[in-house]
Amino acid sequence: MIFKLIYPLLIVLFFISTFINKNNLFSDINSSVDNFNIRFNKDIQILKNEIDFLYVTKKSLPFVNYTIDDNITYFNIEGNGVYFKNITSYPDHFNFYNLKEAKENLNSKFDNSLLFIVYNSVESFANKRQIVYSNNFSKVWVDTLKNGSLISNSFKNKRSISRDNTEFSLYNLYTDKIYNKEMFTIIFPEYDYFNNSQRLKALWYFDFNSNFFAKNTIMLKNTLDLDVSIIDGDYKTVYSTNGTEINSVTDINNFYVFPLEKTNYKILVEKENMFQLIKAKEIFLIFFIFFLVFYINKKDKLKKELHSLKMINKIKSELLLREPLTSLYNRYFLQEEMVFPINNCGVVLLDIDHFKNINDTFGHDKGDHVLKAVSNCIKLVSIGSADAFRWGGEEFLIIFKDTDKETLLDKVNTLQNLIRNLNIVDNYKITASFGVIYTNIKDKSSFYSAVSKADKNLYTAKKTGRDKVVAF
C-alpha cells in the first residue's frame, strides 16, 4: 500500500522539478540576454570613443596633389580616401581623420569584422557640398558620388535618425552598392543649428560583417547551451550559432524573442526540449530528497537553521543595509540599526555640484565613477567615528558621533579638499557643497529635524556659489 502512495508522489515531484528547471532556465535566459545587451552597448560605446579620439587626433594638412573629376575633387593619403563634392574654392588646409588606422585599432577589438569606416560631412544642403572620408581609397567612390548623395544612396530603409547624438541607428543587413559586400551599418548622426532649425551636419558609418555578433552570440550559447540567432527587421538572419546557412526565420514561435536594445534587430534563443530540462541528476535528486527526509537528525536540522541564520544576517548586512553602488549605508539602516540618543553630533549633508552635467556630458558610467570616488573620500574621513549614507542621487549624509565643533569642521574641510583633488573626468573639476550643523539627537524625530537644518545650510551653500561649507 505504501508503494502505491510513493509512486504518484514521485511522479508529482518529477513534474515539479521539470517546472522549476524550466523557470530557472527562462530566468537564466533573461539574465544572459540582458548581459548580451550590456556587452553590445559597450561595443557601441567603443565606436563612439573612437569617434571622439579621431576628433581629438585630427590633423590639419595642406590641400595639395588632388585630382578633379567633374564635380569631385579627391586624393589619397596613406590609403585613406578624401572626396570633396561641389566645392567652389580650394582651401589652403583641410582636416584629416586617419580612418585606416582607426579601423585597424577597432578590428583588434572586433575580430576583423569591421569592413569600412566612412565619415560623411555635409557642408551645405543648398549646394550639396560634401566631404567624404573613407578608410579605403577607391575611385569607385568618385563614380558613386558624382550623381548622388552618399546620404540618400546609403539608406535602404526609410527610418528617421535619432536627434540625440548619444544614440545610433543600426540598419538591416544589405549588400553594399560600392564594394558589393553583405554588411550592416551602425550610423552615428551629428546635428547642428542653422537659422534656428536643427539640421543634419554629418554621419559616421561603421560597416560590419556578421562576425561582429559572433563573440557575444557564441558566449550566450555557451552560457545557455541553446542555439542563438540575430535577425534584422525583415527577419533575415544576420548571425546564427547553429552552423547552418539560414536566410530568414519562418516560424518565430520556435524561439524566445528579445529585442536588441535601441535597434530593430532581435535576439532569438531556441526553445528547450524535454531532454534539456530533465537529466539523470535531476531524477537522482528527487529520489535523494525523498529518502533524505527519513534520515535527517536533529543535528543536521540545527546546522541548517544556524546556516540559514548566518545567511540571513549576511544578506541583511550586505544587501539591506548598504547601497550597492557606493557601499554606504541606506535609509533602511536608519530604520533598523541606528541607535539613539547621539550626543555631540555633527550632521553633514553634501551634494556633488552640477552632477547632472557630468551625466549628460560624459555619460552615466562616468557619473557612477564620480559617485564611487566621492563615497571613497567620505569613507576616509568617517572611519571609526561616523555613519555615512547615500541619502539620495548625488546627495550624501554623514553623522559624526562624540565630536566637537573644531574637529567636525577639520574633517569637513579635509573631505572638501579630497573631493576637489579627484581626477575622475578629464579637464573637469569635481566639487561639492556642504551643509553642517552641530547638535544632540534624542530620537528619530530630532534626527530628521537635524537633517532638515543641515539641508537648509546646504541650500545656502549651493545658492551662494557652490563648493562651499555653510556650518552651524
Side-chain angles (χ1 to χ4, degrees), residues 381-399:
V381 300
S382 62
I383 291 176
S385 63
D387 292 329
F389 301 77
R390 184 177 178 191
W391 200 239
E394 65 272 21
E395 201 169 55
F396 299 84
L397 175 68
I398 312 170
I399 306 299

Side-chain angles (χ1 to χ4, degrees), residues 292-355:
L292 189 62
V293 171
F294 297 95
Y295 295 99
I296 294 177
N297 54 43
K298 292 183 179 180
K299 184 178 179 180
D300 291 333
K301 289 182 179 180
L302 180 60
K303 285 183 178 179
K304 286 189 175 182
E305 289 173 0
L306 290 174
H307 179 70
S308 297
L309 182 60
K310 289 179 180 179
M311 291 299 295
I312 290 171
N313 288 335
K314 184 176 180 180
I315 291 171
K316 183 178 181 182
S317 175
E318 298 299 325
L319 298 180
L320 298 181
L321 303 181
R322 293 190 180 273
E323 189 272 328
L325 179 66
T326 63
S327 296
L328 298 178
Y329 289 131
N330 56 28
R331 298 197 184 202
Y332 189 79
F333 177 88
L334 172 65
Q335 297 294 329
E336 298 295 323
E337 299 291 333
M338 204 159 183
V339 178
F340 300 101
I342 307 173
N343 295 320
N344 301 320
C345 174
V347 179
V348 179
L349 197 62
L350 67 101
D351 186 283
I352 302 173
D353 294 330
H354 304 297
F355 183 76

Side-chain angles (χ1 to χ4, degrees), residues 2-65:
I2 187 170
F3 290 103
K4 291 182 179 179
L5 296 174
I6 292 174
Y7 180 74
L9 178 61
L10 290 177
I11 297 296
V12 171
L13 289 175
F14 177 86
F15 283 105
I16 290 175
S17 176
T18 304
F19 178 76
I20 291 173
N21 286 343
K22 183 177 179 66
N23 284 343
N24 289 340
L25 177 61
F26 189 70
S27 178
D28 290 342
I29 291 173
N30 276 283
S31 176
S32 299
V33 169
D34 286 343
N35 290 332
F36 182 101
N37 273 309
I38 290 171
R39 291 192 297 269
F40 176 74
N41 285 327
K42 286 182 178 179
D43 289 340
I44 296 299
Q45 188 59 44
I46 288 173
L47 301 184
K48 284 193 62 62
N49 290 343
E50 192 62 43
I51 291 174
D52 294 338
F53 181 76
L54 283 167
Y55 276 131
V56 172
T57 58
K58 67 184 177 182
K59 298 178 182 178
S60 179
L61 298 180
F63 198 96
V64 295
N65 299 326

Side-chain angles (χ1 to χ4, degrees), residues 53 102 131 137 141 214 238 251-252 254 272 334 365 372 388 403:
F53 181 76
I131 306 174
F137 175 77
W141 283 106
V238 176
D251 189 0
I252 203 168
N254 294 327
E272 73 288 341
L334 172 65
D365 285 346
K372 290 179 182 178
T403 186

Side-chain angles (χ1 to χ4, degrees), residues 439-454:
T439 186
N440 294 322
I441 298 177
K442 297 179 180 179
D443 50 25
K444 286 183 182 178
S445 178
S446 59
F447 171 87
Y448 281 110
S449 177
V451 172
S452 178
K453 292 176 183 178

Side-chain angles (χ1 to χ4, degrees), residues 22 64 124 184 218 235 272 376 400 471:
K22 183 177 179 66
V64 295
S124 170
F184 61 90
I218 292 172
Y235 289 77
E272 73 288 341
N376 287 336
F400 289 94

Side-chain angles (χ1 to χ4, degrees), residues 52-233:
D52 294 338
F53 181 76
L54 283 167
Y55 276 131
V56 172
T57 58
K58 67 184 177 182
K59 298 178 182 178
S60 179
L61 298 180
F63 198 96
V64 295
N65 299 326
Y66 53 83
T67 302
I68 303 175
D69 190 340
D70 289 346
N71 60 343
I72 305 296
T73 302
Y74 64 95
F75 41 84
N76 176 7
I77 303 177
E78 301 176 359
N80 295 273
V82 184
Y83 309 85
F84 288 79
K85 180 177 181 179
N86 294 335
I87 59 174
T88 56
S89 62
Y90 296 110
D92 295 329
H93 291 78
F94 72 100
N95 289 328
F96 171 65
Y97 304 86
N98 197 335
L99 304 188
K100 186 176 182 182
E101 183 178 285
K103 177 188 172 187
E104 293 171 355
N105 175 48
L106 288 170
N107 266 334
S108 67
K109 299 179 176 66
F110 294 121
D111 298 326
N112 293 315
S113 58
L114 178 58
L115 300 174
F116 301 106
I117 307 175
V118 181
Y119 173 38
N120 180 30
S121 178
V122 181
E123 292 294 313
S124 170
F125 284 137
N127 300 318
K128 296 183 179 180
R129 291 187 298 179
Q130 298 183 73
I131 306 174
V132 177
Y133 299 86
S134 170
N135 66 271
N136 186 14
F137 175 77
S138 172
K139 284 197 66 177
V140 179
W141 283 106
V142 178
D143 298 331
T144 301
L145 294 172
K146 273 183 185 179
N147 301 315
S149 166
L150 179 61
I151 297 175
S152 60
N153 286 350
S154 294
F155 291 164
K156 181 178 180 180
N157 297 314
K158 301 299 183 183
R159 285 193 298 275
S160 62
I161 303 176
S162 168
R163 294 288 172 131
D164 183 351
N165 287 345
T166 64
E167 299 293 329
F168 62 92
S169 299
L170 177 56
Y171 286 87
N172 285 9
L173 194 71
Y174 72 101
T175 300
D176 180 78
K177 298 177 182 178
I178 298 175
Y179 294 101
N180 199 33
K181 289 188 177 183
E182 195 171 65
M183 62 181 70
F184 61 90
T185 298
I186 295 174
I187 299 175
F188 295 90
E190 299 174 10
Y191 294 88
D192 62 3
Y193 284 90
F194 182 75
N195 290 337
N196 295 321
S197 62
Q198 196 176 37
R199 69 173 190 177
L200 183 64
K201 178 184 178 183
L203 292 169
W204 284 91
Y205 300 81
F206 292 84
D207 286 333
F208 288 90
N209 61 29
S210 61
N211 287 331
F212 174 75
F213 290 104
K215 177 179 66 176
N216 292 332
T217 308
I218 292 172
M219 189 181 304
L220 184 57
K221 177 185 177 179
N222 291 340
T223 301
L224 301 173
D225 197 25
L226 297 169
D227 276 315
V228 180
S229 300
I230 308 295
I231 62 171
D232 64 19

